[in-house]
Amino acid sequence: MTKPIIEVKNLAKSFGKNDVLKDITEQVNPGQVIVVIGPSGGGKSTFLRCLNLLETPNSGEVDFDGQNLTTLDTKKVNELREQMGMVFQGFNLFPNMTVLENIKLAPMKVKGMDDAAATKRAHELLDQVNLDDHADAFPSSLSGGQAQRVAIARALAMDPKVMLFDEPTSALDPEMVGEVLNVMQELANQGMTMVVVTHEMGFAKSVADRVWFMADGYIQENNTPDEFFSNPQTDRAKDFLSKILM
Amino acid sequence: MKKKLILLLALVLTIVTGFTTLSSTTANAATDNSLTKVEKKGTLVMGTSPDYPPYEFQATVHGKSKIVGMDVAVGKKIAKDMGVKLVVKSMSFDSLLVALQTGKVDMVISGMNPTPARKKNVDFTHTYYQGGYSIVINKSDKGIYKDKDSFVGKTIGAQTGSTMYNESKKQTSGTTVKGMTSVSDLILALQSHKIQGVAMEKPSAQAYVANNKELAAIPSKFDLSASDTSASVAFAKGSDALVAKANKSVDQIKNQNLVNKNYLPAAGKYLKTNTVNTSMLHYWKAFLTGIEYTLIITVCSVFFGFILGVILALARMGQGGVVRTGLRWLATAYVEFIRGTPMMVQVMFVYFGLGLIVNLPALTSGIIAISLNSGAYVAEYIRGGINSVDDGQTEAARSLGMSSGATMRFVVLPQALKNIWPSLGNEFITLIKDSSIVSIIGVSELIFQSNIVRSDTYRGVAPIAVIMVLYFVLTFTASRILNYFERRMQHD
């Protein structure tokens, strides 16, 4: 069996008295697409943000590529973050830079790539998300779907081993959801390891290798999408599915 | 005789003397060789406040602005007798004694009278001039007022904190005494009939009357002791050798009546050349110097203030760890302290207080003080600007592997800067105006220059109007330039 690329052991996180993550132990293998679903406030986003240490866990460990992130110094964590691309619900593009500059910034400042190489790579990635004609636009002139595709290209520019998606389509108008999901599906087809927090059940069904159902601070169920949607094991999951599937 | 220290300065003096006591061992050891020190140096630095014709004032000699007057002649004589060169340093009267105590100047000659209070802090020579008081009135009122007792129900003006001011209060009854800081302002108030008379020294009164046909002088008839009307040279406390040497020169001046025979007529000649052409255009060089210094101070202070502000803002936002908490605490204390004390006091403290440790020129001191002050305000703007940048920006940058430093530098600060640009622009424009405060330590910026032009020309309003327009031109130009850059930064 292959070695897992992400391994989470007894992860717990609380904000003040609010225990958001209680005790999570799971693993992600290279090439897997994991879709995390569950009710709002169940800790999905917090869990995702613990994976690249945007949130510091209170206890437990997060191993990435065999290294326990929670025990590493800041410099090492920065290096490992390069290998985990992240896409946010609110895009978080840098508004004072053009699309091209948004993508080039990290490769040039972190990896020390020269301008020509970074520009070439940025155009390739923009081509991949079908936005090369918007290279010189500022983020404010983009639609939500376009902005999110730029954000994906920006994360890919660091050549990550894993991509984390935090509700990438939740802030989009319905007609723009498709273009973003298509890009994500293509990425999955290319073999990218992905952890996706989403409410898009169709995407979970067709693209995910595993579905993690998360509620009340625990991963309640870890199953294949077919099994999960047709034959959920826990009452909590049954209840959730009954509410969202018509 | 002339002005006494104002209360504010007394405060600074207290702090400064506090420092002196701390480092008194070195100071005391240095007193014995006061004369040898000056001789070795080859220069004798005289401090004076050149707004008091004919004692000391600025005149244009061969196209250059120069401090002249009978006190300068006295200083020259003393320096010549010591075999050294005289260097004249100008500053506000209130700052003179502090400058002497902190070693910024070797002696003070500024029509200063040796009062017992002053004698506690500095040493005086014998008197070189015995004057008296007059009251200057409008010529049209000549029949109405005869002396100090004619002003019942009226108002007499005098320089705030001066002996004249105190004596006018003490020796008149039923008369209001109005205090103002400069004689030029008092004359202006007189001419606009806000006050009916101005008490001042006889030679000054004569100079004003001689140069302004609408004024007249009447005897004051104040009852004064000799020490109230005499002028002496002041030296730092304990410099006996210097005082003894200077006394020889002063005695010669007295015995040969040099002041009345030579010095005053010579000063009168300068006064005449000074007032031949009182058009503001004639003084364009003085105003240009003012603009130059105002801009130097402002630009330097904005630059250093901004750097300091960024450092302070980052220190204030640091979190976790003993060092970071300590820095945050320090930065917060600094910002609160600077914002809670007047800039004027800060300027004086840097010039005189730091002057005990390192001898900084007035311009440098002014720039340091204003930068330190501006830094505290800029820090708050920047902190606000950084807080206004969405957390998502930081998270996005960190998720790309950028360090916290790189995130701040390449992502957060550029956006913060754009958000606070209008506030920073405001600060720049405020500094153009606030830089006028350094005039009190004798930096020749616009206000200082305009005061000189006012006392040189005996014209009260015109120079004020000129600098008002000049300040507006400066601030308006600055705000246009800033707007241009603001527009260029707009992307969303």
Side-chain angles (χ1 to χ4, degrees):
Chain A
M1 215 184 126
T2 49
K3 224 176 78 187
I5 185 142
I6 298 176
E7 226 179 330
V8 178
K9 294 172 187 161
N10 305 107
L11 181 68
K13 170 74 183 174
S14 57
F15 295 104
K17 282 181 178 170
N18 184 13
D19 298 325
V20 180
L21 303 179
K22 284 164 186 161
D23 181 10
I24 295 177
T25 303
E26 291 293 347
Q27 56 189 47
V28 180
N29 290 325
Q32 265 191 332
V33 176
I34 309 290
V35 171
V36 186
I37 59 174
S40 296
K44 303 187 299 294
S45 286
T46 306
F47 169 69
L48 199 69
R49 292 155 62 82
C50 279
L51 294 186
N52 67 353
L53 250 55
L54 278 186
E55 300 289 356
T56 313
N58 294 93
S59 63
E61 38 179 281
V62 177
D63 294 357
F64 179 79
D65 224 359
Q67 300 183 75
N68 182 359
L69 291 182
T70 53
T71 59
L72 297 176
D73 61 26
T74 323
K75 203 167 159 262
K76 199 82 185 126
V77 169
N78 288 342
E79 281 174 26
L80 289 174
R81 275 206 191 110
E82 292 174 38
Q83 304 175 30
M84 285 188 274
M86 188 161 194
V87 175
F88 301 85
Q89 182 177 348
F91 328 135
N92 296 350
L93 293 179
F94 308 132
N96 53 332
M97 304 177 198
T98 63
V99 164
L100 202 67
E101 287 164 351
N102 259 279
I103 299 171
K104 280 160 61 182
L105 181 72
M108 287 174 69
K109 301 300 178 194
V110 179
K111 286 189 165 174
M113 206 183 265
D114 67 55
D115 189 62
T119 307
K120 186 166 168 279
R121 177 81 180 118
H123 280 298
E124 282 169 16
L125 289 164
L126 281 173
D127 213 32
Q128 191 179 331
V129 298
N130 298 319
L131 277 173
D132 203 28
D133 48 339
H134 287 72
D136 296 319
F138 279 95
S140 54
S141 68
L142 301 177
S143 72
Q146 291 170 330
Q148 195 60 296
R149 285 186 281 150
V150 171
I152 293 172
R154 179 177 69 178
L156 290 173
M158 296 301 284
D159 292 318
K161 289 183 180 164
V162 176
M163 283 287 282
L164 310 175
F165 291 86
D166 187 5
E167 304 202 23
T169 56
S170 299
L172 299 180
D173 290 337
E175 77 268 24
M176 293 176 181
V177 171
E179 60 192 69
V180 173
L181 291 181
N182 284 343
V183 168
M184 289 168 65
Q185 178 146 25
E186 223 169 275
L187 211 53
N189 293 344
Q190 288 166 11
M192 175 63 75
T193 310
M194 291 163 56
V195 181
V196 184
V197 172
T198 187
H199 296 296
E200 296 296 329
M201 298 304 149
F203 180 80
K205 265 184 199 164
S206 59
V207 183
D209 295 308
R210 304 290 297 183
V211 170
W212 295 356
F213 175 70
M214 193 166 176
D216 308 328
Y218 295 100
I219 305 271
Q220 310 268 357
E221 199 167 333
N222 174 349
N223 219 330
T224 62
D226 286 347
E227 272 290 300
F228 178 75
F229 286 107
S230 59
N231 186 20
Q233 302 295 303
T234 57
D235 292 341
R236 196 77 181 75
K238 281 176 194 159
D239 181 50
F240 175 73
L241 287 172
S242 72
K243 278 178 188 157
I244 57 156
L245 292 180
M246 288 297 118
Chain B
M1 189 136 130
K2 227 169 153 184
K3 299 155 255 176
K4 280 179 191 168
L5 291 183
I6 54 170
L7 194 67
L8 202 59
L9 218 98
L11 182 77
V12 173
L13 200 71
T14 319
I15 299 169
V16 164
T17 37
F19 271 111
T20 329
T21 356
L22 285 177
S23 55
S24 58
T25 32
T26 47
N28 284 340
T31 47
D32 283 332
N33 53 8
S34 56
L35 180 59
T36 8
K37 249 173 89 183
V38 168
E39 281 170 348
K40 218 182 237 173
K41 202 165 52 148
T43 53
L44 183 65
V45 183
M46 157 181 166
T48 193
S49 164
D51 57 356
Y52 210 65
Y55 282 83
E56 48 267 324
F57 54 100
Q58 297 251 346
T60 313
V61 183
H62 304 305
K64 269 173 120 183
S65 191
K66 203 177 147 190
I67 299 168
V68 294
M70 71 178 229
D71 279 351
V72 179
V74 171
K76 265 189 190 147
K77 161 96 176 138
I78 293 174
K80 197 183 158 199
D81 292 348
M82 284 181 190
V84 296
K85 224 178 136 244
L86 181 76
V87 176
V88 183
K89 228 178 183 180
S90 79
M91 58 189 73
S92 78
F93 189 84
D94 297 333
S95 307
L96 286 171
L97 287 189
V98 190
L100 189 57
Q101 288 178 314
T102 54
K104 297 264 175 205
V105 297
D106 299 318
M107 66 173 176
V108 167
I109 317 180
S110 201
M112 190 175 276
N113 92 323
T115 60
R118 283 180 183 142
K119 275 181 181 160
K120 276 183 196 156
N121 293 314
V122 293
D123 284 348
F124 282 101
T125 61
H126 305 152
T127 43
Y128 59 85
Y129 184 73
Q130 182 81 40
Y133 291 164
S134 294
I135 296 176
V136 174
I137 56 169
N138 288 312
K139 207 172 218 169
S140 50
D141 293 344
K142 215 174 174 183
I144 307 172
Y145 307 113
K146 287 188 183 66
D147 56 35
K148 67 174 168 67
D149 297 320
S150 325
F151 292 89
V152 177
K154 308 283 186 193
T155 306
I156 288 185
Q159 272 186 307
T160 316
S162 66
T163 321
M164 277 87 81
Y165 179 78
N166 294 337
E167 295 305 324
S168 301
K169 278 209 145 164
K170 251 188 258 166
Q171 298 194 26
T172 56
S173 54
T175 304
T176 313
V177 181
K178 167 98 182 144
M180 288 190 184
T181 39
S182 95
V183 177
S184 331
D185 289 335
L186 285 164
I187 293 293
L188 195 60
L190 175 69
Q191 290 189 294
S192 53
H193 301 280
K194 295 209 168 53
I195 55 179
Q196 283 72 46
V198 181
M200 67 173 88
E201 282 185 67
K202 210 187 251 166
S204 297
Q206 282 162 357
Y208 272 99
V209 171
N211 285 287
N212 194 327
K213 290 191 180 68
E214 282 153 32
L215 300 177
I218 55 169
S220 67
K221 302 249 174 85
F222 279 128
D223 181 21
L224 297 163
S225 66
S227 81
D228 282 334
T229 55
S230 57
S232 292
V233 183
F235 285 96
K237 194 94 193 150
S239 39
D240 300 336
L242 264 178
V243 174
K245 181 82 183 164
N247 265 335
K248 281 186 192 153
S249 312
V250 169
D251 291 345
Q252 270 183 30
I253 291 171
K254 262 234 136 145
N255 293 338
Q256 298 173 22
N257 198 16
L258 285 176
V259 170
N260 287 322
K261 252 172 42 195
N262 297 347
Y263 299 165
L264 274 177
K269 263 182 209 158
Y270 281 122
L271 273 176
K272 240 176 225 162
T273 55
N274 238 357
T275 46
V276 165
N277 190 343
T278 61
S279 104
M280 288 300 110
L281 217 56
H282 184 68
Y283 284 88
W284 68 273
K285 263 188 185 162
F287 288 114
L288 188 69
T289 310
I291 291 176
E292 200 180 302
Y293 277 92
T294 292
L295 285 180
I296 290 174
I297 296 162
T298 309
V299 170
C300 291
S301 303
V302 161
F303 178 74
F304 292 117
F306 179 75
I307 293 174
L308 180 67
V310 172
I311 295 169
L312 283 171
L314 294 180
R316 279 200 79 172
M317 299 180 76
Q319 247 156 37
V322 180
V323 180
R324 282 183 171 197
T325 311
L327 281 177
R328 187 178 70 220
W329 195 87
L330 262 176
T332 308
Y334 177 85
V335 168
E336 292 297 332
F337 185 77
I338 292 293
R339 296 207 302 176
T341 49
M343 198 199 254
M344 191 182 194
V345 180
Q346 293 161 5
V347 168
M348 290 196 286
F349 189 80
V350 168
Y351 186 53
F352 298 118
L354 279 189
L356 286 172
I357 305 156
V358 271
N359 199 359
L360 296 169
L363 178 65
T364 316
S365 305
I367 290 174
I368 290 175
I370 295 185
S371 302
L372 290 176
N373 180 285
S374 177
Y377 288 89
V378 171
E380 288 302 276
Y381 295 139
I382 291 179
R383 197 163 67 103
I386 289 174
N387 284 335
S388 75
V389 176
D390 184 37
D391 284 343
Q393 295 291 309
T394 308
E395 289 182 354
R398 297 307 299 272
S399 78
L400 289 166
M402 294 173 77
S403 66
S404 56
T407 302
M408 190 51 84
R409 195 171 140 207
F410 299 117
V411 175
V412 178
L413 274 184
Q415 295 184 50
L417 201 61
K418 201 191 90 185
N419 291 347
I420 60 170
W421 187 257
S423 311
L424 285 181
N426 253 342
E427 175 70 10
F428 182 73
I429 284 161
T430 305
L431 279 191
I432 291 179
K433 296 180 284 177
D434 280 1
S435 62
S436 57
I437 284 176
V438 301
S439 61
I440 55 165
I441 54 171
V443 179
S444 37
E445 47 69 68
L446 264 178
I447 297 273
F448 188 85
Q449 294 296 91
S450 77
N451 282 338
I452 284 167
V453 173
R454 289 175 74 198
S455 53
D456 280 7
T457 57
Y458 301 91
R459 293 181 65 179
V461 186
I464 299 180
V466 170
I467 60 162
M468 206 162 166
V469 170
L470 288 178
Y471 270 118
F472 182 71
V473 169
L474 287 181
T475 54
F476 190 73
T477 313
S479 77
R480 289 297 101 183
I481 294 172
L482 291 164
N483 280 352
Y484 170 75
F485 282 108
E486 193 180 335
R487 272 198 306 277
R488 274 193 42 173
M489 278 195 293
Q490 292 301 340
H491 290 311
D492 53 353

